[in-house]
Amino acid sequence: MTNNLKVFRARYDLTQKELAEEVDVTRQTIISIEKERYEPSLTLAFKLATYFDVKIEDIFLYEKSTDN
Amino acid sequence: MTNNLKVFRARYDLTQKELAEEVDVTRQTIISIEKERYEPSLTLAFKLATYFDVKIEDIFLYEKSTDN
DNA sequence: ACTTAATGTCAATTAAACTTTACATATTAA
DNA sequence: TTAATATGTAAAGTTTAATTGACATTAAGT
């Protein structure tokens, strides 16, 4: 799973803090997702997609089978 | 957040066990999501959408602000 | 040089997804 | 009636998302 959250955030000229407040999480969560330390919950993914007015698939790219 | 996972599963004529194996989780996880006890991770949502050949938004319906 | 804003790391904790096991019920088939 | 399949519940444990707080670095402005 990869994402281009940073690109969308830049496009909207927002700081991590501002985006965090928009989608109701902390700044650390935004950082962790941008740096792909972990994946967002489905709800957070929806909140981000809704905020940027795109589909989840536009921000998050699923690469099937990192494992099996 | 609501979902129509049960509908998709029925459409493909799969048991919970079969679907669970297809997307690499346990049967309990499928049950919990169908009964909306909790939401799937983004990865699992992608696996399900990919399996049924639809978009995440087709299976999971986000209703903004259950809270704030 | 000093301050402020933005980004980043790290560690400890809480909350929620997911697993595992065990058991209950209903349905269908032998 | 018995066995097998499908769905369901419940509890305890593991894993991971998300929070909180503290501190480091860089860039921009005064």
Side-chain angles (χ1 to χ4, degrees):
Chain A
M1 179 93 66
T2 61
N3 73 72
N4 30 52
L5 182 55
K6 207 162 190 163
V7 175
F8 278 97
R9 184 169 61 81
R11 195 174 295 171
Y12 276 68
D13 196 26
L14 292 172
T15 64
Q16 293 174 334
K17 183 170 181 283
E18 288 167 339
L19 178 57
E21 284 162 359
E22 289 289 348
V23 296
D24 252 317
V25 291
T26 63
R27 190 170 64 90
Q28 309 309 321
T29 298
I30 299 298
I31 290 175
S32 295
I33 294 167
E34 284 190 355
K35 303 239 119 184
E36 295 179 357
R37 281 197 241 277
Y38 53 69
E39 294 159 17
S41 65
L42 183 54
T43 294
L44 180 49
F46 262 116
K47 280 186 180 178
L48 289 166
T50 299
Y51 180 79
F52 290 124
D53 201 30
V54 294
K55 296 208 169 294
I56 287 180
E57 288 85 353
D58 294 324
I59 306 178
F60 299 94
L61 304 221
Y62 176 61
E63 306 150 309
K64 49 169 59 174
S65 79
T66 322
D67 34 67
N68 54 273
Chain B
M1 180 91 68
T2 62
N3 74 71
N4 29 51
L5 182 54
K6 207 164 192 162
V7 176
F8 278 97
R9 183 168 62 82
R11 194 174 295 171
Y12 275 67
D13 195 27
L14 293 172
T15 65
Q16 294 173 334
K17 184 168 180 284
E18 288 167 339
L19 178 55
E21 285 163 358
E22 289 289 348
V23 296
D24 253 317
V25 291
T26 63
R27 191 171 64 89
Q28 308 310 321
T29 297
I30 299 298
I31 290 174
S32 295
I33 293 167
E34 283 190 356
K35 303 238 121 185
E36 295 178 357
R37 281 196 241 279
Y38 53 69
E39 296 159 15
S41 65
L42 184 54
T43 293
L44 179 48
F46 262 116
K47 281 185 180 179
L48 289 166
T50 299
Y51 180 80
F52 290 124
D53 201 29
V54 294
K55 295 208 170 292
I56 286 180
E57 289 85 353
D58 294 325
I59 306 178
F60 299 95
L61 305 217
Y62 175 62
E63 305 149 310
K64 51 167 59 173
S65 80
T66 322
D67 34 64
N68 54 275

